[in-house]
Amino acid sequence: MSPPIAPVGWSRWLVPPAALSIHLSIGQAYAWSVFKPPLEDALGLSGTQSALPFQLGIVMLGLSAAFGGTLVERRGPRWAMTVALVCFSSGFLLSALGAATGQFWLIILGYGFVGGIGLGIGYISPVSTLIKWFPDRPGMATGIAIMGFGGGALIASPWSAQMLESFGSDTSGIALAFLVHGLSYAVFMLLGVLLVRVPRPPAEESAAGRTTAPVGPRVSARQALRTPQFWLLWVVLCTNVTAGIGILEKAAPMISDFFADTSAPVSATAAAGFVALLSAANMAGRIGWSSTSDLIGRKNIYRVYLGAGVLMYALIALVGSSSKPLFVLCALVILSFYGGGFATIPAYLKDLFGTYQVGAIHGRLLTAWSTAGVLGPLIVNWIADRQEEAGKGGAELYSTSLLIMMALLAVGFVANELVRPVDPSHQLDAVPAQKGASDVRQQQSESA
Protein backbone atom coordinates (compact mmCIF):
# COMPACT_ATOMS: atom_id res chain seq x y z
CA MET A 1 0.00 0.00 0.00
CA SER A 2 1.87 3.06 -1.27
CA PRO A 3 1.46 6.43 0.49
CA PRO A 4 -1.22 8.50 -1.31
CA ILE A 5 0.41 11.71 -2.61
CA ALA A 6 -1.70 14.85 -2.48
CA PRO A 7 -2.75 16.21 -5.89
CA VAL A 8 -1.94 19.76 -6.89
CA GLY A 9 -4.12 22.19 -4.93
CA TRP A 10 -4.84 19.75 -2.11
CA SER A 11 -5.63 21.60 1.11
CA ARG A 12 -3.40 20.65 4.01
CA TRP A 13 -6.36 21.31 6.34
CA LEU A 14 -7.93 18.03 5.19
CA VAL A 15 -5.14 16.07 6.88
CA PRO A 16 -6.00 16.89 10.54
CA PRO A 17 -9.58 15.52 10.17
CA ALA A 18 -8.12 12.27 8.80
CA ALA A 19 -5.86 12.05 11.83
CA LEU A 20 -8.73 12.92 14.15
CA SER A 21 -10.84 10.00 12.92
CA ILE A 22 -8.10 7.64 14.07
CA HIS A 23 -7.25 9.38 17.32
CA LEU A 24 -10.86 9.89 18.41
CA SER A 25 -11.36 6.15 18.01
CA ILE A 26 -8.28 4.84 19.77
CA GLY A 27 -8.79 7.49 22.45
CA GLN A 28 -11.49 5.18 23.82
CA ALA A 29 -8.68 3.72 25.93
CA TYR A 30 -9.08 6.66 28.30
CA ALA A 31 -12.63 5.55 29.09
CA TRP A 32 -11.49 2.16 30.39
CA SER A 33 -12.31 3.14 33.98
CA VAL A 34 -16.03 2.99 33.08
CA PHE A 35 -15.63 -0.77 32.48
CA LYS A 36 -13.64 -1.43 35.65
CA PRO A 37 -16.49 -1.65 38.22
CA PRO A 38 -18.74 -3.87 36.03
CA LEU A 39 -15.84 -6.21 35.25
CA GLU A 40 -14.84 -6.38 38.91
CA ASP A 41 -18.41 -7.27 39.94
CA ALA A 42 -19.10 -9.68 37.07
CA LEU A 43 -15.78 -11.56 37.17
CA GLY A 44 -14.75 -11.07 40.82
CA LEU A 45 -11.65 -9.01 40.04
CA SER A 46 -9.64 -6.62 42.20
CA GLY A 47 -8.89 -3.06 41.14
CA THR A 48 -5.35 -4.07 40.22
CA GLN A 49 -6.57 -6.99 38.09
CA SER A 50 -9.22 -4.96 36.25
CA ALA A 51 -6.51 -2.49 35.23
CA LEU A 52 -4.48 -5.17 33.42
CA PRO A 53 -6.10 -4.78 29.95
CA PHE A 54 -5.54 -1.04 30.08
CA GLN A 55 -1.98 -1.39 31.36
CA LEU A 56 -1.03 -3.95 28.71
CA GLY A 57 -2.66 -1.79 26.05
CA ILE A 58 -0.46 1.16 27.00
CA VAL A 59 2.62 -1.09 27.13
CA MET A 60 1.87 -2.40 23.64
CA LEU A 61 1.18 1.15 22.47
CA GLY A 62 4.73 2.16 23.33
CA LEU A 63 6.35 -1.03 22.08
CA SER A 64 4.49 -1.14 18.76
CA ALA A 65 5.17 2.57 18.22
CA ALA A 66 8.87 2.04 18.96
CA PHE A 67 9.35 -1.03 16.78
CA GLY A 68 6.94 0.08 14.06
CA GLY A 69 7.96 3.74 13.88
CA THR A 70 10.48 3.31 11.08
CA LEU A 71 8.07 1.05 9.17
CA VAL A 72 5.34 3.69 9.47
CA GLU A 73 7.76 6.31 8.09
CA ARG A 74 8.62 4.03 5.18
CA ARG A 75 5.13 2.78 4.24
CA GLY A 76 3.18 5.95 4.98
CA PRO A 77 0.12 6.93 6.98
CA ARG A 78 -2.51 5.02 5.00
CA TRP A 79 -0.81 1.68 5.65
CA ALA A 80 -0.39 2.56 9.32
CA MET A 81 -4.00 3.64 9.73
CA THR A 82 -5.20 0.41 8.11
CA VAL A 83 -3.12 -1.70 10.50
CA ALA A 84 -4.45 0.35 13.41
CA LEU A 85 -8.05 -0.18 12.27
CA VAL A 86 -7.68 -3.95 11.98
CA CYS A 87 -5.88 -4.41 15.31
CA PHE A 88 -7.97 -2.01 17.38
CA SER A 89 -11.31 -3.35 16.16
CA SER A 90 -10.18 -6.97 16.42
CA GLY A 91 -9.12 -6.31 20.00
CA PHE A 92 -12.68 -5.33 20.89
CA LEU A 93 -14.11 -8.40 19.16
CA LEU A 94 -11.77 -10.68 21.12
CA SER A 95 -12.71 -8.86 24.31
CA ALA A 96 -16.39 -9.38 23.52
CA LEU A 97 -15.74 -13.11 23.21
CA GLY A 98 -13.83 -13.08 26.49
CA ALA A 99 -16.62 -11.29 28.34
CA ALA A 100 -19.30 -13.54 26.87
CA THR A 101 -17.44 -16.68 27.98
CA GLY A 102 -16.21 -15.28 31.29
CA GLN A 103 -12.57 -15.64 30.22
CA PHE A 104 -10.76 -12.54 31.50
CA TRP A 105 -7.50 -13.59 29.83
CA LEU A 106 -9.20 -13.11 26.45
CA ILE A 107 -10.09 -9.54 27.40
CA ILE A 108 -6.45 -8.95 28.38
CA LEU A 109 -5.27 -10.50 25.10
CA GLY A 110 -7.82 -8.67 22.94
CA TYR A 111 -8.04 -5.21 24.47
CA GLY A 112 -4.50 -5.17 25.87
CA PHE A 113 -2.27 -6.98 23.38
CA VAL A 114 -4.01 -6.88 19.99
CA GLY A 115 -5.82 -3.61 20.60
CA GLY A 116 -2.66 -2.13 22.10
CA ILE A 117 -0.80 -2.69 18.83
CA GLY A 118 -3.57 -0.76 17.10
CA LEU A 119 -3.16 2.01 19.68
CA GLY A 120 0.56 2.38 19.02
CA ILE A 121 0.50 2.24 15.22
CA GLY A 122 -2.59 4.44 15.08
CA TYR A 123 -1.15 7.00 17.47
CA ILE A 124 2.01 7.67 15.46
CA SER A 125 0.44 7.16 12.02
CA PRO A 126 -0.29 10.86 11.28
CA VAL A 127 2.41 12.62 13.36
CA SER A 128 5.24 12.78 10.83
CA THR A 129 2.80 13.63 8.03
CA LEU A 130 1.25 16.48 10.00
CA ILE A 131 4.63 18.00 10.88
CA LYS A 132 5.63 17.88 7.21
CA TRP A 133 2.36 19.57 6.19
CA PHE A 134 2.66 22.22 8.94
CA PRO A 135 6.39 23.01 9.44
CA ASP A 136 5.42 26.55 10.40
CA ARG A 137 3.08 25.49 13.24
CA PRO A 138 4.06 22.00 14.39
CA GLY A 139 2.67 22.39 17.91
CA MET A 140 -0.75 23.39 16.65
CA ALA A 141 -0.82 20.71 13.94
CA THR A 142 0.04 17.79 16.20
CA GLY A 143 -2.20 19.26 18.90
CA ILE A 144 -5.22 19.22 16.59
CA ALA A 145 -4.73 15.53 15.82
CA ILE A 146 -3.54 14.27 19.17
CA MET A 147 -6.35 16.10 20.97
CA GLY A 148 -8.54 13.43 19.40
CA PHE A 149 -6.83 10.79 21.50
CA GLY A 150 -7.56 12.80 24.61
CA GLY A 151 -11.10 13.55 23.49
CA GLY A 152 -11.94 9.97 22.58
CA ALA A 153 -13.17 9.28 26.10
CA LEU A 154 -15.40 12.35 25.95
CA ILE A 155 -17.46 10.34 23.47
CA ALA A 156 -16.71 6.84 24.71
CA SER A 157 -17.31 7.39 28.43
CA PRO A 158 -21.00 8.39 28.34
CA TRP A 159 -21.58 6.13 25.35
CA SER A 160 -20.12 3.13 27.21
CA ALA A 161 -22.04 3.98 30.39
CA GLN A 162 -25.28 4.20 28.42
CA MET A 163 -24.65 0.86 26.72
CA LEU A 164 -23.91 -0.84 30.03
CA GLU A 165 -27.12 0.61 31.43
CA SER A 166 -29.11 -0.57 28.42
CA PHE A 167 -27.45 -3.96 27.87
CA GLY A 168 -26.76 -4.71 31.53
CA SER A 169 -23.51 -4.77 33.48
CA ASP A 170 -23.23 -8.57 33.58
CA THR A 171 -20.88 -10.51 31.28
CA SER A 172 -23.36 -10.62 28.37
CA GLY A 173 -24.00 -6.87 28.58
CA ILE A 174 -20.28 -6.09 28.70
CA ALA A 175 -19.70 -8.43 25.73
CA LEU A 176 -22.35 -6.67 23.66
CA ALA A 177 -20.89 -3.26 24.52
CA PHE A 178 -17.43 -4.43 23.38
CA LEU A 179 -18.93 -5.78 20.14
CA VAL A 180 -20.66 -2.49 19.31
CA HIS A 181 -17.44 -0.59 20.04
CA GLY A 182 -15.39 -2.78 17.72
CA LEU A 183 -17.74 -2.51 14.75
CA SER A 184 -18.46 1.21 15.16
CA TYR A 185 -14.83 2.22 15.45
CA ALA A 186 -13.92 0.18 12.37
CA VAL A 187 -16.30 2.26 10.25
CA PHE A 188 -15.16 5.58 11.73
CA MET A 189 -11.44 4.82 11.35
CA LEU A 190 -12.00 3.88 7.72
CA LEU A 191 -12.78 7.55 7.00
CA GLY A 192 -9.23 8.50 7.99
CA VAL A 193 -7.74 5.72 5.87
CA LEU A 194 -9.54 7.01 2.78
CA LEU A 195 -8.89 10.72 3.39
CA VAL A 196 -5.19 10.94 4.38
CA ARG A 197 -2.56 12.24 1.93
CA VAL A 198 1.19 12.96 2.10
CA PRO A 199 2.83 16.15 0.72
CA ARG A 200 4.15 16.22 -2.81
CA PRO A 201 7.94 15.94 -3.31
CA PRO A 202 9.88 19.02 -2.09
CA ALA A 203 10.87 20.12 -5.63
CA GLU A 204 7.24 20.28 -6.72
CA GLU A 205 6.21 22.03 -3.51
CA SER A 206 8.91 24.67 -3.93
CA ALA A 207 7.80 25.30 -7.49
CA ALA A 208 4.29 25.86 -6.19
CA GLY A 209 5.50 28.30 -3.58
CA ARG A 210 4.74 26.03 -0.59
CA THR A 211 7.03 25.15 2.32
CA THR A 212 6.61 21.55 3.42
CA ALA A 213 10.15 20.29 2.93
CA PRO A 214 12.05 19.15 6.02
CA VAL A 215 13.82 22.01 7.80
CA GLY A 216 16.31 22.29 10.66
CA PRO A 217 18.56 19.48 11.90
CA ARG A 218 18.61 16.06 10.22
CA VAL A 219 19.11 13.43 12.91
CA SER A 220 18.19 9.81 12.23
CA ALA A 221 16.20 7.74 14.69
CA ARG A 222 19.22 5.52 15.30
CA GLN A 223 21.45 8.50 16.05
CA ALA A 224 18.83 10.20 18.24
CA LEU A 225 19.05 7.30 20.70
CA ARG A 226 22.69 8.22 21.26
CA THR A 227 21.94 11.76 22.39
CA PRO A 228 21.27 12.83 26.00
CA GLN A 229 18.40 14.98 24.74
CA PHE A 230 16.39 11.91 23.74
CA TRP A 231 16.72 10.30 27.16
CA LEU A 232 16.03 13.53 29.02
CA LEU A 233 12.80 13.90 27.05
CA TRP A 234 12.08 10.24 27.79
CA VAL A 235 12.21 11.02 31.51
CA VAL A 236 10.11 14.18 31.02
CA LEU A 237 7.39 12.29 29.15
CA CYS A 238 7.45 9.28 31.49
CA THR A 239 7.06 11.33 34.66
CA ASN A 240 4.36 13.59 33.22
CA VAL A 241 2.38 10.62 31.90
CA THR A 242 2.74 8.57 35.09
CA ALA A 243 1.37 11.45 37.13
CA GLY A 244 -1.66 11.88 34.87
CA ILE A 245 -2.49 8.34 33.86
CA GLY A 246 -2.72 7.11 37.44
CA ILE A 247 -5.67 9.43 38.04
CA LEU A 248 -7.23 8.90 34.62
CA GLU A 249 -7.25 5.10 34.79
CA LYS A 250 -8.98 5.12 38.19
CA ALA A 251 -10.94 8.35 37.77
CA ALA A 252 -14.46 7.01 38.32
CA PRO A 253 -13.76 4.99 41.49
CA MET A 254 -11.35 7.64 42.78
CA ILE A 255 -13.84 10.51 42.93
CA SER A 256 -16.41 8.15 44.45
CA ASP A 257 -13.95 7.13 47.18
CA PHE A 258 -12.87 10.70 47.93
CA PHE A 259 -16.41 11.78 48.76
CA ALA A 260 -17.96 8.49 49.88
CA ASP A 261 -18.21 9.56 53.53
CA THR A 262 -19.48 13.08 52.87
CA SER A 263 -23.00 14.47 52.76
CA ALA A 264 -22.84 14.54 48.96
CA PRO A 265 -21.48 11.20 47.69
CA VAL A 266 -20.77 10.78 43.98
CA SER A 267 -23.08 8.46 42.05
CA ALA A 268 -21.90 6.08 39.30
CA THR A 269 -23.46 8.33 36.67
CA ALA A 270 -21.74 11.42 38.09
CA ALA A 271 -18.44 9.51 38.25
CA ALA A 272 -18.79 8.66 34.54
CA GLY A 273 -19.48 12.34 33.91
CA PHE A 274 -16.27 13.18 35.79
CA VAL A 275 -14.37 10.87 33.43
CA ALA A 276 -15.90 12.75 30.51
CA LEU A 277 -14.86 16.08 32.03
CA LEU A 278 -11.31 14.83 32.44
CA SER A 279 -11.38 13.76 28.81
CA ALA A 280 -12.50 17.25 27.79
CA ALA A 281 -9.63 18.80 29.78
CA ASN A 282 -7.23 16.28 28.27
CA MET A 283 -8.45 17.19 24.80
CA ALA A 284 -8.45 20.95 25.38
CA GLY A 285 -4.93 20.79 26.82
CA ARG A 286 -3.64 19.02 23.74
CA ILE A 287 -4.64 21.78 21.35
CA GLY A 288 -4.47 24.74 23.75
CA TRP A 289 -1.14 24.11 25.47
CA SER A 290 0.59 22.73 22.36
CA SER A 291 -0.46 25.79 20.35
CA THR A 292 0.85 27.97 23.19
CA SER A 293 4.18 26.17 22.89
CA ASP A 294 4.55 27.61 19.36
CA LEU A 295 4.58 31.05 21.02
CA ILE A 296 6.56 30.55 24.24
CA GLY A 297 8.74 27.54 23.37
CA ARG A 298 8.69 23.86 24.29
CA LYS A 299 10.93 24.06 27.36
CA ASN A 300 8.85 26.84 28.88
CA ILE A 301 5.57 25.02 28.37
CA TYR A 302 6.97 21.89 30.03
CA ARG A 303 8.00 24.05 32.97
CA VAL A 304 4.31 24.87 33.31
CA TYR A 305 3.19 21.23 32.96
CA LEU A 306 5.60 19.87 35.53
CA GLY A 307 5.92 22.77 37.99
CA ALA A 308 2.24 23.70 38.20
CA GLY A 309 1.38 20.00 38.22
CA VAL A 310 3.18 19.60 41.56
CA LEU A 311 1.05 22.42 42.97
CA MET A 312 -2.21 20.84 41.74
CA TYR A 313 -1.36 17.50 43.34
CA ALA A 314 -0.43 19.24 46.58
CA LEU A 315 -3.84 20.95 46.69
CA ILE A 316 -5.66 17.65 46.12
CA ALA A 317 -3.63 15.94 48.83
CA LEU A 318 -4.14 18.72 51.38
CA VAL A 319 -7.69 19.99 50.85
CA GLY A 320 -9.16 18.02 47.93
CA SER A 321 -11.45 15.85 50.07
CA SER A 322 -13.02 18.90 51.74
CA SER A 323 -14.05 20.63 48.51
CA LYS A 324 -15.53 18.83 45.53
CA PRO A 325 -15.14 21.84 43.16
CA LEU A 326 -11.47 22.21 44.13
CA PHE A 327 -10.84 18.49 43.61
CA VAL A 328 -12.48 18.57 40.18
CA LEU A 329 -10.69 21.79 39.17
CA CYS A 330 -7.23 20.49 40.16
CA ALA A 331 -7.86 17.18 38.39
CA LEU A 332 -8.94 19.03 35.23
CA VAL A 333 -5.78 21.16 35.24
CA ILE A 334 -3.59 18.08 35.79
CA LEU A 335 -5.25 16.29 32.88
CA SER A 336 -4.88 19.36 30.65
CA PHE A 337 -1.13 19.29 31.38
CA TYR A 338 -1.09 15.54 30.76
CA GLY A 339 -2.71 15.98 27.35
CA GLY A 340 -0.61 19.01 26.52
CA GLY A 341 2.55 17.03 27.23
CA PHE A 342 1.58 14.40 24.67
CA ALA A 343 0.71 16.94 21.99
CA THR A 344 3.82 19.06 22.52
CA ILE A 345 6.40 16.26 22.52
CA PRO A 346 6.42 15.73 18.70
CA ALA A 347 7.13 19.45 18.18
CA TYR A 348 9.83 19.31 20.88
CA LEU A 349 11.42 16.41 18.98
CA LYS A 350 11.13 18.30 15.70
CA ASP A 351 12.91 21.31 17.23
CA LEU A 352 15.78 19.15 18.49
CA PHE A 353 16.13 16.51 15.77
CA GLY A 354 14.40 17.97 12.70
CA THR A 355 11.69 16.41 10.54
CA TYR A 356 13.93 13.83 8.86
CA GLN A 357 12.74 10.83 10.94
CA VAL A 358 10.64 12.55 13.57
CA GLY A 359 7.90 9.91 13.34
CA ALA A 360 10.32 7.08 14.07
CA ILE A 361 11.98 9.06 16.89
CA HIS A 362 8.54 9.81 18.34
CA GLY A 363 7.67 6.13 18.21
CA ARG A 364 10.79 5.20 20.15
CA LEU A 365 10.12 7.90 22.72
CA LEU A 366 6.67 6.45 23.37
CA THR A 367 8.33 3.58 25.25
CA ALA A 368 8.19 6.15 28.07
CA TRP A 369 4.41 5.93 27.79
CA SER A 370 4.62 2.14 28.04
CA THR A 371 6.58 2.45 31.25
CA ALA A 372 4.21 5.07 32.62
CA GLY A 373 1.22 2.97 31.60
CA VAL A 374 2.41 0.32 34.04
CA LEU A 375 3.73 2.62 36.77
CA GLY A 376 0.80 5.03 37.05
CA PRO A 377 -2.07 2.54 37.46
CA LEU A 378 0.13 0.16 39.47
CA ILE A 379 1.08 2.86 41.98
CA VAL A 380 -2.49 4.09 42.45
CA ASN A 381 -4.25 0.70 42.40
CA TRP A 382 -1.72 -1.25 44.46
CA ILE A 383 -1.48 1.38 47.19
CA ALA A 384 -5.27 1.79 47.26
CA ASP A 385 -5.74 -1.99 47.59
CA ARG A 386 -3.19 -2.15 50.44
CA GLN A 387 -4.77 0.77 52.24
CA GLU A 388 -8.19 -0.81 51.92
CA GLU A 389 -6.85 -4.07 53.36
CA ALA A 390 -5.52 -2.03 56.28
CA GLY A 391 -9.03 -0.81 57.00
CA LYS A 392 -8.69 2.68 55.56
CA GLY A 393 -11.09 4.37 53.17
CA GLY A 394 -11.99 7.59 51.39
CA ALA A 395 -9.19 9.99 50.50
CA GLU A 396 -6.73 8.03 52.65
CA LEU A 397 -6.63 5.38 49.91
CA TYR A 398 -4.76 7.83 47.67
CA SER A 399 -2.68 10.10 49.95
CA THR A 400 0.58 8.17 49.45
CA SER A 401 0.04 7.94 45.69
CA LEU A 402 -0.39 11.70 45.43
CA LEU A 403 2.93 12.31 47.18
CA ILE A 404 4.67 9.91 44.81
CA MET A 405 3.21 11.73 41.79
CA MET A 406 4.50 15.06 43.14
CA ALA A 407 8.00 13.61 43.44
CA LEU A 408 7.90 12.21 39.91
CA LEU A 409 6.86 15.57 38.46
CA ALA A 410 9.77 17.23 40.27
CA VAL A 411 12.16 14.74 38.65
CA GLY A 412 10.67 15.54 35.24
CA PHE A 413 11.07 19.27 35.87
CA VAL A 414 14.81 18.82 36.51
CA ALA A 415 15.20 16.67 33.37
CA ASN A 416 13.51 19.35 31.25
CA GLU A 417 15.88 21.99 32.62
CA LEU A 418 18.84 19.91 31.44
CA VAL A 419 17.70 19.77 27.78
CA ARG A 420 20.06 21.62 25.40
CA PRO A 421 20.29 21.80 21.56
CA VAL A 422 21.59 18.63 19.93
CA ASP A 423 25.30 18.66 19.12
CA PRO A 424 25.83 19.06 15.33
CA SER A 425 28.00 15.91 15.33
CA HIS A 426 24.81 13.85 15.65
CA GLN A 427 23.29 15.19 12.45
CA LEU A 428 23.13 12.91 9.44
CA ASP A 429 25.56 15.01 7.37
CA ALA A 430 28.09 14.94 10.22
CA VAL A 431 28.17 11.20 10.95
CA PRO A 432 31.84 10.37 11.73
CA ALA A 433 33.68 9.04 8.71
CA GLN A 434 34.97 6.03 10.62
CA LYS A 435 31.48 4.60 10.70
CA GLY A 436 31.78 3.94 7.01
CA ALA A 437 29.56 4.68 4.08
CA SER A 438 27.54 1.50 4.62
CA ASP A 439 26.36 2.71 8.02
CA VAL A 440 25.29 6.04 6.54
CA ARG A 441 23.36 4.26 3.80
CA GLN A 442 21.64 2.10 6.42
CA GLN A 443 20.51 5.21 8.32
CA GLN A 444 19.24 6.82 5.14
CA SER A 445 17.30 3.70 4.16
CA GLU A 446 15.28 3.92 7.38
CA SER A 447 13.29 6.81 5.95
CA ALA A 448 13.12 5.53 2.39
Side-chain angles (χ1 to χ4, degrees):
M1 185 180 295
S2 59
I5 298 175
V8 175
W10 177 266
S11 173
R12 64 179 182 172
W13 292 102
L14 293 175
V15 180
L20 271 173
S21 72
I22 301 297
H23 277 242
L24 279 171
S25 299
I26 62 177
Q28 184 281 334
Y30 282 143
W32 177 252
S33 64
V34 176
F35 285 102
K36 281 172 64 68
L39 283 171
E40 290 168 15
D41 293 339
L43 299 178
L45 306 173
S46 68
T48 303
Q49 289 173 322
S50 66
L52 288 175
F54 176 82
Q55 286 177 289
L56 181 58
I58 299 301
V59 169
M60 293 309 301
L61 185 159
L63 293 178
S64 60
F67 288 104
T70 302
L71 195 60
V72 170
E73 287 276 290
R74 184 182 303 135
R75 297 199 174 185
R78 176 168 287 180
W79 175 87
M81 290 178 177
T82 302
V83 171
L85 184 160
V86 172
C87 291
F88 189 66
S89 296
S90 298
F92 268 112
L93 300 184
L94 277 174
S95 297
L97 178 62
T101 58
Q103 300 295 315
F104 185 57
W105 69 270
L106 268 176
I107 299 177
I108 296 174
L109 174 66
Y111 191 93
F113 185 80
V114 178
I117 295 174
L119 287 177
I121 300 299
Y123 189 87
I124 65 172
S125 61
V127 169
S128 178
T129 302
L130 282 165
I131 288 178
K132 290 170 183 174
W133 275 110
F134 293 87
D136 51 333
R137 286 179 281 182
M140 181 212 67
T142 55
I144 289 175
I146 293 178
M147 76 174 181
F149 194 87
L154 186 62
I155 299 170
S157 181
W159 183 37
S160 300
Q162 183 60 49
M163 278 195 286
L164 290 172
E165 184 177 338
S166 301
F167 301 152
S169 57
D170 56 0
T171 53
S172 60
I174 296 171
L176 188 53
F178 282 152
L179 178 63
V180 172
H181 274 77
L183 297 177
S184 300
Y185 283 132
V187 174
F188 193 59
M189 293 171 78
L190 184 61
L191 298 177
V193 173
L194 298 176
L195 185 60
V196 72
R197 299 288 187 276
V198 297
R200 299 186 68 79
E204 296 182 32
E205 291 295 312
S206 298
R210 304 174 71 106
T211 309
T212 57
V215 295
R218 297 183 74 241
V219 181
S220 70
R222 179 189 295 259
Q223 196 67 19
L225 293 176
R226 301 172 183 173
T227 66
Q229 287 82 359
F230 177 90
W231 296 106
L232 287 169
L233 288 187
W234 193 98
V235 172
V236 167
L237 184 63
C238 184
T239 54
N240 192 55
V241 172
T242 300
I245 207 168
I247 283 185
L248 192 59
E249 186 274 338
K250 203 173 174 66
M254 187 176 185
I255 192 172
S256 298
D257 290 336
F258 250 78
F259 300 98
D261 300 326
T262 67
S263 59
V266 178
S267 66
T269 302
F274 176 62
V275 175
L277 276 177
L278 291 181
S279 178
N282 188 354
M283 179 174 64
R286 291 173 186 242
I287 180 61
W289 292 121
S290 61
S291 295
T292 303
S293 77
D294 287 335
L295 302 175
I296 68 173
R298 321 304 171 195
K299 177 175 281 192
N300 286 333
I301 201 68
Y302 272 96
R303 285 169 173 154
V304 175
Y305 300 155
L306 300 163
V310 173
L311 177 60
M312 294 299 104
Y313 269 109
L315 287 173
I316 291 178
L318 294 173
V319 294
S321 60
S322 62
S323 173
K324 193 179 298 182
L326 180 64
F327 176 91
V328 172
L329 178 62
C330 290
L332 292 177
V333 172
I334 289 171
L335 264 295
S336 76
F337 292 159
Y338 169 81
F342 275 121
T344 309
I345 205 70
Y348 210 160
L349 292 171
K350 176 260 181 188
D351 293 345
L352 292 171
F353 302 108
T355 62
Y356 174 58
Q357 288 192 341
V358 67
I361 297 171
H362 183 228
R364 286 157 172 77
L365 193 75
L366 290 182
T367 53
W369 192 357
S370 295
T371 304
V374 174
L375 286 179
L378 182 62
I379 290 170
V380 175
N381 284 290
W382 187 85
I383 292 177
D385 289 345
R386 300 293 80 75
Q387 296 286 64
E388 190 172 7
E389 290 173 1
K392 297 182 179 180
E396 290 183 331
L397 297 176
Y398 306 98
S399 56
T400 303
S401 300
L402 296 175
L403 293 175
I404 293 173
M405 299 307 177
M406 291 168 61
L408 287 172
L409 288 173
V411 171
F413 188 92
V414 173
N416 182 56
E417 291 301 306
L418 296 175
V419 174
R420 299 289 185 272
V422 176
D423 190 286
S425 64
H426 291 290
Q427 294 190 33
L428 188 64
D429 297 334
V431 175
Q434 59 266 31
K435 289 191 173 188
S438 61
D439 192 29
V440 176
R441 284 194 298 271
Q442 183 177 6
Q443 291 180 7
Q444 291 173 331
S445 67
E446 291 179 359
S447 64

